[in-house]
Amino acid sequence: MIRSNFSFFQVSIFAVFFTVFLNSCSARVQVLPEPVVEQTLFRSGPICPGAIFCSIGKPGSLNFKGILVNKTGEKPIFLEYYMSSFEESFPIGISMKLDQTWHNLRKTSTDYGDTVRVVSILPTDVADKLLSAKEIQLSFSSRDNTSTFTLSSSNTDSLKSLLKDLKEKLDSQARLTITNH
């Protein structure tokens, strides 16, 4: 008699554990917070006004940089300008004249090395105006002087093409989501 009660007790305990085990092994998709890539970087090719050979980082070269900030979905665009580290004193910033209007671009960083890289944010409204501008002038200011140069029509077209391609790639990039199945 005691033996059959003991078996019933063992079966009851086994059934409780089995039920708990089945409930914990659900077939639902679980979304767990995971560390994700903070940002995705896009960089256009360079243009070098007045130079025959051009590469990124060459003094006098320009290029665009776009970033997809994965946490917020923001997609800022920056203009990068390179100069010789011996060419200028402390860099102040870059201005851009689109047709008849000057736009001061806010400097976000300056990197020093063999060349000096000045990075300025390109606001969305200025980027849109750049794509439709017929004449583009760039002005670089340092503590000592200001250098202004007008882009040729071929350089203007190249700059517009680089910006358009970068914007298309940046806009087509979706935020990353990590799910566990």
Side-chain angles (χ1 to χ4, degrees):
M1 198 68 151
I2 294 176
R3 186 116 173 110
S4 66
N5 285 342
F6 186 68
S7 292
F8 177 75
F9 181 71
Q10 286 178 336
V11 170
S12 299
I13 296 290
F14 179 73
V16 168
F17 282 123
F18 187 71
T19 305
V20 169
F21 177 75
L22 283 179
N23 284 335
S24 66
C25 295
S26 174
R28 295 177 294 167
V29 174
Q30 295 178 339
V31 179
L32 302 172
E34 289 277 332
V36 295
V37 176
E38 294 292 324
Q39 62 186 26
T40 305
L41 175 72
F42 298 86
R43 186 168 270 133
S44 74
I47 67 160
C48 301
I52 296 173
F53 299 106
C54 190
S55 65
I56 266 190
K58 179 180 178 182
S61 67
L62 298 163
N63 65 282
F64 295 106
K65 175 175 77 171
I67 298 175
L68 166 62
V69 181
N70 201 44
K71 286 184 176 182
T72 62
E74 291 178 89
K75 298 177 180 179
I77 297 176
F78 301 87
L79 177 68
E80 296 180 322
Y81 176 67
Y82 295 86
M83 72 187 102
S84 170
S85 59
F86 302 107
E87 182 181 331
E88 299 290 339
S89 65
F90 184 76
I92 295 173
I94 300 172
S95 297
M96 183 180 290
K97 184 179 180 184
L98 304 173
D99 294 329
Q100 299 303 315
T101 307
W102 280 101
H103 302 276
N104 293 325
L105 304 180
R106 184 175 54 89
K107 183 173 77 166
T108 58
S109 68
T110 305
D111 299 325
Y112 297 91
D114 292 340
T115 58
V116 176
R117 179 177 65 164
V118 178
V119 182
S120 298
I121 193 155
L122 187 67
T124 305
D125 61 327
V126 176
D128 293 340
K129 290 176 185 175
L130 188 147
L131 290 173
S132 62
K134 294 186 180 12
E135 183 182 321
I136 299 174
Q137 285 185 328
L138 291 167
S139 178
F140 169 75
S141 297
S142 69
R143 283 188 181 172
D144 293 341
N145 65 3
T146 298
S147 304
T148 302
F149 52 93
T150 303
L151 295 181
S152 66
S153 61
S154 64
N155 281 332
T156 298
D157 292 341
S158 295
L159 191 67
K160 288 179 185 181
S161 176
L162 291 173
L163 179 58
K164 182 181 176 194
D165 291 346
L166 181 92
K167 282 184 71 159
E168 287 173 357
K169 288 178 185 172
L170 193 59
D171 289 341
S172 69
Q173 182 70 32
R175 289 174 61 182
L176 299 175
T177 304
I178 297 177
T179 57
N180 292 332
H181 296 275

